[in-house]
Amino acid sequence: MGGRMEYRVLGKLDVVRDGDEVDLGAHRQRSLLGLLLTNPNTVWSTDRIIDSIWGDEIGSDRQNALWVYISGLRKALEPDREKRTEGTILLTRSPGYLLNVEPDAIDAVRFERLVAEGKALIDSDPDAASLVLGEALALWRGRAYEDFAYEAWAQSEIARLEEMRLEAVEARVDADLLRGMSRELVSELESLVREHPLQ
């Protein structure tokens, strides 16, 4: 049933089932999944979803379109679920929908956990801290929610994750300095200063 699912938002939105990429369909359908992934295992009201995805757009039957996208996502995420059942991932819960996901199946959640672990190790074990923070940063494949960079619903989550990415880089640099690697860090620090002159 189902298989191991991975949800990747630290770059272009990808879902991988047992090593194979899942075809998530049209942009709006992908956008719906991206939105639900910003706050998984939480009930989203139908109104909030519609406002987030369609905004002030006029003239479309948004409720029907949403049903079509929900149905399409259910097919994509759980192709072997029984007909006319909701499956186990995208659930109907009053007053809307809930994306039922193992938190660690989302790269952004793993990233946050690893950053917290790495930061906690800096003073006691800078070698381990550098390793853990490096593992966290390796999860990034581009910009967070890259394909939704211009969508209002994604802005605050993109900003939050990008800020945390920068904090993780700074923490890894701190750990490496404690390891006595100042010479190796010079060129990395120079390029960071160019990218983030105000930090």
Side-chain angles (χ1 to χ4, degrees):
M1 169 79 202
R4 165 136 178 77
M5 302 285 284
E6 277 179 77
Y7 300 85
R8 300 176 182 168
V9 298
L10 301 177
K12 188 173 75 64
L13 174 65
D14 280 328
V15 176
V16 177
R17 183 193 308 105
D18 293 332
D20 295 324
E21 203 169 308
V22 174
D23 179 359
L24 297 171
H27 182 76
R28 276 245 163 98
Q29 191 163 294
R30 298 170 59 79
S31 187
L32 169 61
L33 180 62
L35 174 70
L36 296 174
L37 281 166
T38 63
N39 205 348
N41 302 310
T42 303
V43 176
W44 289 75
S45 75
T46 301
D47 289 345
R48 187 173 164 211
I49 293 171
I50 287 173
D51 287 347
S52 299
I53 291 184
W54 281 272
D56 303 327
E57 198 177 298
I58 306 199
S60 59
D61 184 351
R62 300 181 295 188
Q63 179 66 66
N64 272 338
L66 177 59
W67 286 331
V68 169
Y69 296 144
I70 291 283
S71 169
L73 275 180
R74 282 182 174 152
K75 272 195 198 88
L77 296 173
E78 292 189 272
D80 47 8
R81 80 187 197 298
E82 288 185 31
K83 288 269 179 272
R84 285 190 280 289
T85 67
E86 62 178 16
T88 60
I89 298 177
L90 185 47
L91 310 176
T92 304
R93 295 289 179 270
S94 182
Y97 300 95
L98 175 146
L99 188 69
N100 177 34
V101 180
E102 280 291 322
D104 237 34
I106 304 170
D107 61 357
V109 174
R110 280 204 313 282
F111 170 72
E112 291 183 55
R113 178 175 54 72
L114 289 167
V115 170
E117 282 173 23
K119 281 176 155 179
L121 287 166
I122 287 178
D123 295 324
S124 62
D125 189 346
D127 289 334
S130 178
L131 208 65
V132 171
L133 290 161
E135 190 184 331
L137 290 163
L139 292 169
W140 287 74
R141 301 166 295 111
R143 296 185 63 91
Y145 289 92
E146 200 169 275
D147 22 5
F148 310 112
Y150 302 107
E151 305 208 16
W153 62 261
Q155 300 301 315
S156 63
E157 185 65 359
I158 289 171
R160 186 184 76 81
L161 288 166
E162 294 285 352
E163 178 70 24
M164 189 174 286
R165 181 188 199 175
L166 195 53
E167 283 170 25
V169 171
E170 287 170 0
R172 207 215 66 239
V173 167
D174 289 344
D176 287 345
L177 287 170
L178 287 170
R179 295 165 66 206
M181 295 178 62
S182 49
R183 193 180 290 128
E184 296 86 333
L185 290 168
V186 170
S187 65
E188 183 179 6
L189 290 173
E190 284 172 351
S191 76
L192 279 171
V193 168
R194 278 195 302 278
E195 275 179 61
H196 307 281
L198 303 176
Q199 292 274 335

